[in-house]
Amino acid sequence: MSDTVDVLIIGAGASGAAAAWSLAETRMRIVCLEQGDWPRSDRYASTTRDWEARRMGEFAYSPNTRRAAADYPVNDDDSPIKIANYNAVGGATVLFTAHFPRFHPSDFRVRSLDGVADDWPIDYQTLEPFYAENDRMMGVSGLAGDPAYPPKTCVLPPLALGRSGETLARGFNALGWHWWPSDNATASRDYEGRARCINLGNCGGGCAQGAKASTDITYWPAAVRAGVEVRTGCRVSEIRCSDAGRATGAVYFDADGVERFQAAEVVILAANGVGTPRLLLNSVSRAFPDGLANSSGLVGRNLMFHPCAVITGVFDAPQDGQRGPDNWLWSHEFYETDPARGFVRGYILEANRGAGPAQSALAGLSSGQVTLGADHHASLRRVFDHTVGLVAITEDLPEEHNRVTLDPVLTDAHGVPAPKITYRISDNSRRMLDHAVARAGEALRAAGAHTVRDVTPLATGGWHLMGTARMGNDPARSVVNAWGRSHDVKNLFIIDGSVFVTSAGVNPTCTIQALALYVADQIKARLASLFD
Amino acid sequence: MTAFTDRDLDILRRLAGRMIPASAEYGVPGADDEAIFADIVRTLAPAAGTLSPLPARLADAEPDAADPALRPILTAVMLCYYRDDRVLVSLGVEPRPPFPKGFEVEEGDWSLLDPVRARPRLWRDAGRM
Ligand SMILES: Cc1cc2nc3c(=O)[nH]c(=O)nc-3n(C[C@H](O)[C@H](O)[C@H](O)COP(=O)(O)OP(=O)(O)OC[C@H]3O[C@@H](n4cnc5c(N)ncnc54)[C@H](O)[C@@H]3O)c2cc1C
């Protein structure tokens, strides 16, 4: 097909879905190209007895382990943190654990408040109505009144506290520290055609119940009903550009491997913080010899991950095991900057369930808590169903040497260069991780844990991909403007985590989606003068 | 596809049995149990080409969980052992997939939140752009 569409969205994940739905009301012709397929919830890991094995194979977080037809390889050898993603309609929300914290107001003003990195060109108040709209579309559970946030309403009641939650709450209370039930995009009650959570656990293997708000079951059905076309199995290789510096459309390989061109008036990139710079860098033209929209040289730079630590405690009393949503309670005690801590910015601690029996055995064998041989059974029973964890998500500050480039050798199945990741954990992040491991250990011990172990940094935790096409007012220091339009290419927009100026110390997806809704809203409001 | 030899299978079975021996105390078979071992062999079959021939030392040495060479075998043994009905029942786990029945999680005591509700706000004012 080569007829020109009004809007071409590349990527059907968290952000692409939100923007498609929002723009659909304009009645423009909107097509989304997605390299993966529609997921089948009846095939998710928790539907079969071998669910623990399938989570390590077809539902592994790393595309290099899954190696499915929809995946592209990522060379992350030069990074202590490995890329986690999922390539399908719904994108990584198919596997995400739906922890849904907003940014704090201070996260948009880190230069002004703490003298580091850069301020965002927008603020919390700009995004507030879009956070709220996104909460409604995704069906977010939570509890109003959290002193860590400006007042906000909640769509659904909070997820159950459970035994594990009570345990953690007692620990935090003993220390006088903040905790609160998390905002989580998992429905605690039936909501908009989605059935309530029945505590399958395994959110990271896809939600067979449909309680978790992956965008294939939230935004996409509404967008498709409103006329948006999603073309699956279509891998974009480059965005073409005219000599006048306008995007003309995208070259892609369709599900049969046939190379095609889709012309478009507006191109919106939503391929995530790694997929988007990869495409821009692979889109070389006379007008943009260093990659599309890259006159600043910042495409691919300032990659941020959120270095994570997982701290687990083992308790004498039985806990909830893997039953229930993975993350359902948070602490923002160490979120806002306190110079006395020896680092700038901060982190959240999010509660983390235990694991199934095989994963408990494997994790216990790695940490030395489970043994092989005669004592295996007793040692496994000490940890299985008796473990609760905390994950520290630390703010990663932007550094230009942390980046996505094109691998000179590795390609995907269609010959498109694979992304190569070069990343180092900063000294500030290391100090923050040390602090978080020590504080989480205190909280777990105060909660009654007799043994505490940590995995720091969590190598498999590259699930938050941000910063590689940053937003800003200065075209020399940013890739897109304050409403997501490329400074260089006036009909090219970016709406995924690439545009983050800083990472905050919370999971990013509700902010990615609020930004996507905000950019879509700006497009709608400026239609008459969009390319000026 | 390369298959395991009888010698490999003998080594593998003895290794699995030493990793997880049967236990009368917990009423569970070892990982060398016929059904469990068959599952382990099926699971490892695609890797037979890289694992075979298994080194003879694995037959009698005490298995070391930290030995990187043992990792694929260790993983397969744990995944297969802990999906056997008899083993799950002894752990108090219903032998079924999580979906569609799901699980109960207690609502919990929300009065634990009272001291946090009483706290002053934690977030900083950032002003407007
Ligand atoms: C295991 C896991 C757990 C997570 N848990 C959380 C959590 O609890 N909370 C949270 O906030 N975030 C979480 N995340 C992160 C979250 O999923 C992402 O932040 C979010 O999905 C990013 O949205 P996006 O639109 O930028 O990209 P994605 O959702 O990654 O979507 C990008 C889409 O673009 C497609 N695409 C890429 N390149 C091309 C191409 N060349 N041609 C065609 N299509 C292409 C991909 O196939 C993909 O579907 C988790 C992620 C993982 C993997």
Side-chain angles (χ1 to χ4, degrees):
Chain A
M1 186 184 286
S2 63
D3 56 329
T4 304
V5 299
D6 298 311
V7 179
L8 182 65
I9 299 175
I10 300 168
S15 58
W21 169 80
S22 173
L23 290 172
E25 68 169 338
T26 61
R27 299 279 158 215
M28 292 191 286
R29 181 154 177 231
I30 303 171
V31 167
C32 176
L33 297 176
E34 166 55 50
Q35 64 193 345
D37 269 322
W38 287 91
R40 293 269 313 260
S41 64
D42 59 336
R43 294 185 186 160
Y44 284 154
S46 61
T47 59
T48 56
R49 285 288 304 274
D50 55 352
W51 55 275
E52 290 197 274
R54 294 179 67 206
R55 286 201 57 185
M56 295 175 74
E58 66 197 282
F59 295 104
Y61 296 165
S62 167
N64 300 335
T65 305
R66 283 193 311 267
R67 303 166 77 108
D71 292 320
Y72 55 94
V74 179
N75 179 352
D76 49 19
D77 293 346
D78 196 19
S79 170
I81 298 175
K82 310 299 177 190
I83 300 298
N85 68 14
Y86 198 68
N87 299 310
V89 177
T93 65
V94 174
L95 298 193
F96 87 153
T97 56
H99 203 239
F100 230 53
R102 296 181 182 186
F103 276 22
H104 288 210
S106 64
D107 291 324
F108 297 89
R109 306 295 302 279
V110 299
R111 163 66 59 186
S112 302
L113 294 173
D114 297 324
V116 288
D118 288 303
D119 287 349
W120 288 56
I122 55 171
D123 55 20
Y124 182 87
Q125 288 86 344
T126 310
L127 286 191
E128 206 168 20
F130 303 101
Y131 275 130
E133 184 170 47
N134 191 50
D135 283 358
R136 284 192 299 277
M137 286 302 291
M138 296 288 275
V140 175
S141 302
L143 182 68
D146 187 345
Y149 280 102
K152 59 187 166 70
T153 52
C154 288
V155 179
L156 291 165
L159 297 165
L161 203 49
R163 281 187 216 165
S164 310
E166 284 192 358
T167 298
L168 290 172
R170 291 205 170 88
F172 286 126
N173 282 354
L175 296 166
W177 291 355
H178 170 267
W179 69 275
W180 201 262
S182 300
D183 290 347
N184 188 302
T186 300
S188 59
R189 303 284 183 272
D190 293 353
Y191 184 72
E192 301 280 331
R194 279 160 50 209
R196 73 179 173 86
C197 175
I198 52 169
N199 303 307
L200 302 176
N202 286 301
C203 310
C207 180
Q209 170 78 345
K212 186 183 82 175
S214 51
T215 59
D216 57 310
I217 58 167
T218 55
Y219 279 108
W220 276 121
V224 169
R225 272 197 305 277
V228 177
E229 181 192 347
V230 184
R231 256 178 245 161
T232 57
C234 294
R235 173 170 287 141
V236 176
S237 56
E238 67 177 290
I239 299 157
R240 286 263 163 86
C241 184
S242 70
D243 285 345
R246 283 286 177 87
T248 54
V251 181
Y252 69 98
F253 293 91
D254 72 11
D256 299 319
V258 178
E259 191 172 16
R260 298 185 182 279
F261 177 73
Q262 177 60 61
E265 300 292 348
V266 171
V267 175
I268 299 182
L269 268 168
N272 86 29
V274 168
T276 285
R278 174 199 188 204
L279 271 180
L280 291 172
L281 293 172
N282 200 45
S283 304
V284 176
S285 61
R286 259 198 300 272
F288 296 100
D290 299 323
L292 190 61
N294 195 19
S295 67
S296 65
L298 291 175
V299 169
R301 291 192 182 270
N302 296 302
L303 172 67
M304 297 175 283
F305 275 135
H306 290 142
C308 292
V310 178
I311 308 97
T312 45
V314 185
F315 296 81
D316 287 331
Q319 305 295 320
D320 294 322
Q322 104 283 351
R323 300 175 293 279
D326 290 344
N327 316 117
W328 72 108
L329 178 158
W330 63 37
S331 172
H332 290 246
E333 184 68 24
F334 305 103
Y335 196 82
E336 301 284 355
T337 294
D338 177 352
R341 294 185 193 133
F343 54 84
V344 273
R345 310 297 299 156
Y347 59 88
I348 59 161
L349 296 171
E350 62 178 38
N352 193 31
R353 294 276 170 205
Q359 281 300 342
S360 297
L362 287 167
L365 286 163
S366 292
S367 68
Q369 291 171 288
V370 173
T371 54
L372 295 174
D375 192 42
H376 176 80
H377 302 287
S379 63
L380 185 276
R381 281 160 178 75
R382 278 194 291 275
V383 295
F384 175 64
D385 270 1
H386 288 70
T387 300
V388 186
L390 290 167
V391 180
I393 298 197
T394 64
E395 173 154 356
D396 201 1
L397 290 167
E399 296 179 292
E400 288 190 15
H401 57 257
N402 290 332
R403 63 190 296 205
V404 178
T405 51
L406 296 181
D407 193 282
V409 179
L410 191 66
T411 65
D412 66 22
H414 296 99
V416 183
K420 179 176 188 305
I421 311 298
T422 307
Y423 178 88
R424 300 284 173 272
I425 298 175
S426 72
D427 289 343
N428 191 63
S429 294
R430 285 196 184 279
R431 287 195 294 274
M432 213 182 309
L433 283 168
D434 289 346
H435 188 272
V437 169
R439 295 297 87 74
E442 278 175 49
L444 290 166
R445 284 198 188 85
H450 57 74
T451 311
V452 175
R453 293 273 193 280
D454 70 279
V455 180
T456 313
L458 183 66
T460 51
W463 36 55
H464 303 158
L465 311 172
M466 302 161 288
T468 47
R470 68 203 321 239
M471 177 181 260
N473 292 323
D474 178 359
R477 298 290 312 139
S478 54
V479 177
V480 298
N481 70 10
W483 39 282
R485 192 184 71 179
S486 155
H487 290 299
D488 298 342
V489 184
K490 302 230 181 303
N491 63 340
L492 176 71
F493 292 79
I494 304 177
I495 56 168
D496 54 49
S498 307
V499 303
F500 278 30
V501 181
T502 53
S503 70
V506 288
N507 322 57
T509 306
C510 81
T511 302
I512 291 175
Q513 291 186 300
L515 273 165
L517 292 174
Y518 158 71
V519 171
D521 198 63
Q522 291 289 310
I523 292 175
K524 288 186 284 191
R526 296 168 188 265
L527 268 182
S529 58
L530 197 58
F531 309 137
D532 292 349
Chain B
M1 193 167 78
T2 315
F4 287 117
T5 62
D6 286 347
R7 178 186 160 282
D8 290 330
L9 292 176
D10 180 52
I11 294 173
L12 196 55
R13 190 162 191 160
R14 289 207 271 163
L15 177 64
R18 276 201 322 286
M19 284 179 167
I20 311 184
S23 164
E25 185 186 354
Y26 295 104
V28 285
D32 54 355
D33 166 86
E34 198 171 330
I36 296 172
F37 186 65
D39 192 10
I40 293 170
V41 172
R42 260 195 313 276
T43 301
L44 282 173
T50 47
L51 293 174
S52 179
L54 289 173
R57 69 177 168 88
L58 294 184
D60 301 307
E62 279 312 307
D64 174 6
D67 179 355
L70 270 193
R71 200 70 211 170
I73 297 174
L74 189 73
T75 302
V77 167
M78 296 303 146
L79 288 172
C80 297
Y81 187 77
Y82 286 107
R83 63 189 179 211
D84 180 86
D85 286 8
R86 295 160 292 175
V87 175
L88 292 176
V89 168
S90 95
L91 283 170
V93 175
E94 272 184 78
R96 62 168 173 90
F99 184 79
K101 193 174 164 193
F103 301 100
E104 282 303 318
V105 170
E106 296 160 16
E107 189 57 36
D109 176 6
W110 286 109
S111 72
L112 284 164
L113 207 49
D114 292 346
V116 193
R117 288 183 198 276
R119 282 186 68 147
R121 69 173 230 203
L122 279 80
W123 56 281
R124 283 190 284 175
D125 254 331
R128 294 238 39 187
M129 287 304 293

